């Protein structure tokens, strides 16, 4: 069963150009790990204020295990250190994308869907 996920995080005003640039050239190792962790149809949108909105489909059977694999990849860790420095989490107490206790991106509740 496909699980649809939506999340938000805030972008630092000073980092807009750099964030767009690095996402125009995502590292192949990061893209491969996203695919290997059963994530498909992944998009990040920017509202031209501060909010980044991400949405993707998870097609696997064990989301937590796949996210553990994602966190274990050194290239993904390097990517997250870079991009986390451009962002501010809306989740109080979160320390970064590697934080397993408090998510860096805030998950959103789906209230409507139509195909």
């Amino acid at each position: 069963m496909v699980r649809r996920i939506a999340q938000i995080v805030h972008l630092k005003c000073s980092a807009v150009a750099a964030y767009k640039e690095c996402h125009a050239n995502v590292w192949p190792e990061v893209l491969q790990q996203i695919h290997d962790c059963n994530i498909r149809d992944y998009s990040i949108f920017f509202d031209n204020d501060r909010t980044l909105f991400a949405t993707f489909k998870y097609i696997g059977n064990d989301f937590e295990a796949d996210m553990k694999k994602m966190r274990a990849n050194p290239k993904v860790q390097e990517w997250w250190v870079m991009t986390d420095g451009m962002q501010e989490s809306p989740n109080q107490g979160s320390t970064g994308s590697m934080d397993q206790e408090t998510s860096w991106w805030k998950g959103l509740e789906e209230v409507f869907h139509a195909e």
Side-chain angles (χ1 to χ4, degrees):
M1 181 176 196
V2 174
R3 177 177 167 189
R4 295 169 355 176
I5 297 173
Q7 306 168 311
I8 61 168
V9 75
H10 301 299
L11 187 60
K12 293 178 181 176
C13 294
S14 61
V16 173
Y19 192 83
K20 288 181 178 181
E21 175 65 27
C22 72
H23 281 83
N25 300 291
V26 178
W27 303 339
E29 301 91 342
V30 172
L31 293 173
Q32 185 63 52
Q33 189 64 58
I34 289 169
H35 187 270
D36 291 349
C37 289
N38 296 302
I39 293 173
R40 303 293 187 275
D41 197 19
Y42 188 8
S43 296
I44 300 174
F45 299 89
F46 179 54
D47 75 351
N48 291 317
D49 184 16
R50 293 191 61 228
T51 303
L52 293 167
F53 168 75
T55 181
F56 59 89
K57 294 176 183 172
Y58 176 72
I59 62 167
N61 297 316
D62 190 342
F63 185 75
E64 295 306 319
D66 279 331
M67 294 307 97
K68 186 176 180 178
K69 285 192 309 190
M70 181 84 72
R71 284 190 301 273
N73 183 311
K75 206 65 174 170
V76 170
Q77 292 173 15
E78 184 181 347
W79 178 264
W80 284 348
V81 166
M82 177 182 64
T83 58
D84 284 1
M86 300 177 197
Q87 303 165 345
E88 296 172 344
S89 178
N91 293 323
Q92 190 172 27
S94 184
T95 59
S97 293
M98 288 297 294
D99 189 344
Q100 295 179 44
E101 300 300 316
T102 305
S103 178
W104 185 247
W105 285 69
K106 179 180 180 182
L108 302 177
E109 175 187 3
E110 182 177 60
V111 296
F112 176 77
H113 172 75
E115 292 209 27

